[in-house]
Amino acid sequence: MTKRAYNFNAGPAALPLEVLERAQAEFVDFRGTGMSIMEMSHRGKVYEEVHNEAQSRLLSLLGNPSGYKVLFLQGGASTQFAMVPMNFLTAGKTGSYVLTGSWASKAEKEARLIGETHIAASSENNKFMSIPDLSSIEIPENAAYLHVTSNETIEGSQYQQYPDTGNVPLIADMSSDILCREFDVNQFDFIYAGAQKNLGPSGVTVVIAREELLAESPKHIPTMLRFSTHAANNSLYNTPPSFSVYMVNEVLKWIEEQGSLAGVEKINREKAGLIYDTIDSSEGFYRGPVEAGSRSIMNITFRLPSEELEKQFIKESEQEGFVGLKGHRSVGGLRASIYNAVPYENVKALADFMNHFQKNHG
């Protein structure tokens, strides 16, 4: 048995071991075809079954909401930053954005290249260490949509509830916390997520959207950048990232086996509790910079009394088999990404290491 790393990478991130082992078993000969799923035509019956299964399984995990469609796209969430305004930010309308950190800011910046944007609320004044109060969100009358980033991977903040936008479509980048907890998909008109954190490997971007939003895209934008192209062709207009889609389907099966979203959420909250309790009971040795009411259960950021100690923490943790605990270069510090597939035992091992480190250096 290979010793697995304690993988706390922010993305591409840990995948469930069971999924990797199943993929390994089917890698060379998929369902008796004599081919790997990576070798077969995306127009063939075998691949198309997997493709359709992944779409319906995702909607099933979300309670089979009526009128929603799943798309499998490419180019990551970063391409969605441009595709969303290209498709929805029409003349005379404004793209409204809530700024909560690095990723929300990137999305708004990209939209500015395409049309008028508006900041509905922002937590920049406290270095994005909280999610703005929902009552402070101001949506202009001519808003094409309100865009939120459900979880900021870099800063470590997460929405606990979502704004009610009335008739204005609510669009969410859920790349780093999709399927980590139960939520009402009917609150949203359009959700997108890069797969490489909670859904599968990198290479596929998942969209869950109301069908009417996908039906008509402006004719002046390139064919591949129109949502209508992908919706009309069941995401098979061009060659999809077939292996990534297959892996997403396997991860979704695994989520079902954990007790679906309720089961996954329960474990995720226990995992996050282990680390936050360690931080909060350290008498200031560890400091969680994010306001308590905005803390993420996916990306836990923390600081030590000095940068020297942080470097020492990284060094010693790597020697013990921990991977990916260095904070993002833009904010520094430390970060543990504890996505769905990170086992409870690994998080417990990290909490134990943190306590041990404090005893030695506190």
Side-chain angles (χ1 to χ4, degrees):
M1 179 70 187
T2 318
K3 181 166 168 33
R4 302 267 295 156
Y6 294 126
N7 184 354
F8 292 96
N9 277 325
L15 285 161
L17 180 59
E18 299 93 318
V19 169
L20 293 172
E21 287 172 344
R22 277 178 219 167
Q24 184 180 39
E26 296 183 322
F27 193 71
V28 175
D29 181 5
F30 184 68
R31 296 184 184 173
T33 57
M35 293 179 283
S36 171
I37 193 152
M38 290 193 287
E39 299 177 289
M40 56 183 64
S41 167
H42 64 290
R43 306 266 176 229
K45 184 171 173 284
V46 178
Y47 172 72
E48 206 159 346
E49 271 176 13
V50 171
H51 188 92
N52 294 339
E53 199 180 292
Q55 290 170 331
S56 59
R57 184 166 264 122
L58 179 53
L59 290 175
S60 156
L61 278 166
L62 296 169
N64 286 315
S66 66
Y68 284 81
K69 197 171 181 68
V70 171
L71 303 181
F72 294 130
L73 306 179
Q74 293 172 72
S78 297
T79 299
Q80 293 307 303
F81 295 166
M83 271 180 83
V84 163
M86 277 177 162
N87 282 266
F88 304 136
L89 186 46
T90 48
K93 292 281 193 177
T94 298
S96 199
Y97 285 76
V98 180
L99 298 193
T100 46
S102 309
W103 293 110
S105 303
K106 281 184 177 176
E108 188 274 331
K109 206 170 165 189
E110 204 68 5
R112 248 186 278 160
L113 301 172
I114 289 144
E116 287 293 316
T117 66
H118 161 265
I119 308 304
S122 172
S123 54
E124 192 173 9
N125 62 354
N126 73 342
K127 296 187 174 163
F128 297 126
M129 287 302 128
S130 63
I131 298 292
D133 200 279
L134 297 189
S135 62
S136 72
I137 296 174
E138 292 175 10
I139 307 170
E141 275 179 27
N142 68 336
Y145 55 80
L146 179 75
H147 180 285
V148 297
T149 304
S150 62
N151 183 80
E152 287 285 357
T153 325
I154 292 175
E155 287 81 7
S157 63
Q158 185 179 31
Y159 281 79
Q160 311 302 318
Q161 273 93 35
Y162 294 102
D164 178 355
T165 55
N167 296 327
V168 175
L170 179 59
I171 295 180
D173 172 3
M174 286 196 181
S175 293
S176 55
D177 71 345
I178 191 164
L179 305 189
C180 79
R181 58 185 176 182
E182 292 187 288
F183 72 98
D184 179 9
V185 74
N186 293 293
Q187 270 192 278
F188 299 89
D189 298 86
F190 189 99
I191 292 167
Y192 63 93
Q196 65 275 13
K197 303 181 195 283
N198 257 354
L199 289 174
S202 57
V204 63
T205 305
V206 175
V207 164
I208 305 155
R210 291 192 191 275
E211 286 174 19
E212 65 264 26
L213 269 187
L214 303 173
E216 291 294 324
S217 295
K219 299 287 180 278
H220 66 272
I221 60 177
T223 308
M224 275 295 286
L225 297 174
R226 294 179 207 160
F227 290 123
S228 59
T229 301
H230 302 287
N233 292 280
N234 191 30
S235 304
L236 294 164
Y237 176 79
N238 71 326
T239 310
S242 50
F243 186 72
S244 296
V245 172
Y246 154 75
M247 287 292 283
V248 166
N249 190 36
E250 293 301 320
V251 169
L252 297 175
K253 282 184 200 171
W254 176 84
I255 291 174
E256 289 171 348
E257 290 158 8
Q258 309 310 303
S260 296
L261 297 193
V264 162
E265 177 172 359
K266 182 175 180 289
I267 297 165
N268 283 336
R269 294 202 181 277
E270 286 168 6
K271 292 188 317 196
L274 276 177
I275 305 299
Y276 284 125
D277 288 349
T278 304
I279 292 168
D280 295 340
S281 63
S282 72
E283 296 177 350
F285 182 77
Y286 295 110
R287 186 173 54 81
V290 175
E291 281 181 16
S294 299
R295 284 172 160 182
S296 169
I297 60 169
M298 291 282 99
N299 308 98
I300 300 178
T301 51
F302 57 101
R303 303 297 309 236
L304 274 84
S306 70
E307 283 189 21
E308 284 65 44
L309 266 180
E310 288 174 351
K311 282 179 186 151
Q312 189 62 27
F313 184 97
I314 294 296
K315 189 180 162 197
E316 289 186 26
S317 68
E318 285 173 352
Q319 288 165 354
E320 294 295 324
F322 292 92
V323 175
L325 290 171
K326 198 173 182 181
H328 191 272
R329 62 185 178 277
S330 63
V331 294
L334 300 153
R335 169 178 60 178
S337 296
I338 55 169
Y339 301 122
N340 289 356
V342 175
Y344 180 90
E345 300 72 45
N346 291 18
V347 180
K348 175 80 173 70
L350 175 58
D352 291 345
F353 173 80
M354 288 170 73
N355 286 321
H356 184 70
F357 187 85
Q358 182 180 354
K359 275 198 186 86
N360 291 344
H361 300 278

